[in-house]
Amino acid sequence: MVRVKTTPDPVPGRASSDTDELHAGPKRPIGEGQRRRVPAGQVFVAVLIALGLWVFLDAPALERAAEASPIGTRRSVALFFLKPVAATTRFLQLDNVRGAVDAAVGRDTDAEVELAEVPLTEEERDQPNKDDKDGPGGQPDPLEAPTREDPLRLVTVGDSFAQGVGPTLARLTKRTLVDAESRGLLSSGLTRPDFFNWPPNLRTIVNRFKPDVTVVMLGGNDSQTMTTLGSSAQIPLSQTDLWRSTYAERVGGLMDIATDQGGRVVWIGLPTMRDEIRNRQGDRLNDIYRAEAEERPEVEYVDAYELFSDTRGRYAPFLRDENGNPTAVRAPDGEHFTTTGYDWLGDEVLTIFEEVWGVPPTIRR
């Protein structure tokens, strides 16, 4: 039995009076067991100061996120206020403070950008492409079994989805047999080369790492107006046919860069999403990814939309595992994945390695 301590009821018919306070014992001065109440105004000022410090420390990152946001009034207003603040932060070198904090907690937010934007050397720029190793019927030959001396070289690129897939693949495979690199970049995609231009940066990655397999997962930021480098021309989503054909060219171009030196690609489509508008947008992008992959024998497509749908093809935060147990597979934001969800994706990728390209299952941990 659980006993609950309750406050005694007042004596019926008797009103409270000052004499009741006498029986409660003497009052203690503030500081002896009593908390001093802070005026609401002081709390409000403290919150404003903390918020201001955070904005100054994080202004460059906020500016970069605003640059990647959809073109429109909201983006323009955000950049109008953030650009001078970010410039002040850099001038005062306050961004170094943020960098020190990130380093202290083991987070390196600039690593991907620094790698991707390293220019090619003259020797790398003039390096001839390898011939594609295609077997009968245009199908790629099996990949050679990786060894300690010659491990399978694997690179994962894309947006925040890829930032989860890359480390997962590294965790699921043996370090002695798989050299896994993760080069995802938050807020990146193919519609906004003015923010981050993936094709030339992927070319740098391919020339530097010479991956046997490139895993790509992006598109979460791409349902917006499309820009073109070196031109003020923009393609809004309302121009459906032009937008779709241009985006398909960019998807196919990225696949070609990843495979023109003999490498293979696993392109992971977007999953179901809780927000219905975002869900429909992602499904339309998946049609493009799938169609472009089908035209290239070196590219395999992972249908994450189907993998993370319930029995009715809808978004589901919980799905049953192989034992029939309900398992949380999606993050609270309704788009990304839990660790288990990323493991499911990683398993799909490794299954392609084994069943399509003949990589032995010994690469798994």
Side-chain angles (χ1 to χ4, degrees):
M1 177 182 293
V2 178
R3 302 192 178 198
V4 180
K5 183 177 180 181
T6 59
T7 302
D9 294 331
V11 178
R14 177 185 172 193
S16 60
S17 65
D18 294 339
T19 57
D20 291 330
E21 293 188 4
L22 297 177
H23 297 290
K27 293 183 177 180
R28 289 174 293 182
I30 293 176
E32 296 183 11
Q34 297 186 33
R35 295 181 178 178
R36 181 186 298 272
R37 292 186 177 181
V38 179
Q42 293 183 18
V43 174
F44 181 70
V45 171
V47 170
L48 285 180
I49 293 175
L51 181 61
L53 288 174
W54 171 75
V55 169
F56 265 97
L57 289 174
D58 215 33
L62 293 173
E63 178 190 29
R64 189 166 180 82
E67 289 174 342
S69 63
I71 295 174
T73 303
R74 181 179 298 180
R75 175 179 181 272
S76 299
V77 172
L79 288 175
F80 176 80
F81 288 103
L82 284 172
K83 279 188 176 296
V85 178
T88 303
T89 300
R90 296 187 186 96
F91 178 76
L92 297 176
Q93 298 185 346
L94 295 178
D95 51 335
N96 293 337
V97 176
R98 175 58 188 269
V101 173
D102 288 337
V105 299
R107 183 171 60 242
D108 189 359
T109 56
D110 294 327
E112 297 86 356
V113 181
E114 290 178 357
L115 170 92
E117 294 181 346
V118 172
L120 293 177
T121 64
E122 198 69 31
E123 180 181 356
E124 290 171 330
R125 189 177 297 108
D126 296 335
Q127 178 179 347
N129 293 336
K130 299 179 182 177
D131 292 330
D132 292 344
K133 298 180 179 180
D134 290 348
Q139 294 301 315
D141 286 335
L143 288 170
E144 296 182 4
T147 63
R148 289 176 178 269
E149 294 73 26
D150 187 17
L152 185 142
R153 297 180 298 278
L154 169 65
V155 172
T156 303
V157 300
D159 56 19
S160 56
F161 285 114
Q163 288 181 320
V165 174
T168 297
L169 289 172
R171 176 168 51 81
L172 295 180
T173 55
K174 295 178 180 177
R175 294 185 179 180
T176 54
L177 296 178
V178 178
D179 183 4
E181 294 284 342
S182 180
R183 299 298 160 186
L185 181 63
L186 187 70
S187 301
S188 65
L190 297 180
T191 57
R192 296 291 304 283
D194 57 311
F195 169 71
F196 189 82
N197 194 12
W198 263 115
N201 286 288
L202 180 59
R203 170 62 66 196
T204 300
I205 293 172
V206 168
N207 278 304
R208 287 285 165 85
F209 289 102
K210 298 176 176 57
D212 297 300
V213 180
T214 301
V215 177
V216 184
M217 189 172 188
L218 50 72
N221 310 296
D222 279 346
S223 292
Q224 59 170 297
T225 296
M226 191 179 300
T227 62
T228 304
L229 283 181
S231 171
S232 59
Q234 298 179 359
I235 307 175
L237 286 169
S238 57
Q239 297 182 17
T240 307
D241 293 341
L242 179 59
W243 194 99
R244 183 183 178 89
S245 62
T246 305
Y247 190 76
E249 289 177 2
R250 295 184 181 187
V251 171
L254 207 66
M255 292 177 177
D256 292 340
I257 290 172
T259 58
D260 66 7
Q261 293 191 29
R264 320 292 169 84
V265 168
V266 176
W267 193 291
I268 304 175
L270 293 172
T272 50
M273 299 188 185
R274 184 171 56 204
D275 181 85
E276 188 54 36
I277 295 177
R278 296 272 294 161
N279 189 57
R280 289 197 300 269
Q281 291 171 338
D283 197 26
R284 287 192 289 266
L285 293 180
N286 285 340
D287 290 339
I288 298 174
Y289 305 145
R290 185 184 296 105
E292 293 299 316
E294 288 175 350
E295 294 181 2
R296 296 165 173 82
E298 305 89 356
V299 180
E300 294 294 324
Y301 178 72
V302 172
D303 193 342
Y305 194 94
E306 180 180 357
L307 181 64
F308 290 96
S309 296
D310 64 13
T311 56
R312 297 183 181 182
R314 302 172 304 184
Y315 168 86
F318 291 83
L319 292 172
R320 295 189 181 278
D321 61 17
E322 58 185 6
N323 298 318
N325 300 317
T327 304
V329 293
R330 306 303 294 273
D333 64 5
E335 296 188 6
H336 295 82
F337 305 96
T338 62
T339 299
T340 300
Y342 278 115
D343 284 348
W344 286 17
L345 272 182
D347 181 69
E348 289 292 312
V349 172
L350 295 180
T351 298
I352 289 175
F353 286 17
E354 297 160 4
E355 296 183 357
V356 179
W357 297 323
V359 177
T362 52
I363 65 170
R364 297 184 186 240
R365 287 186 185 273

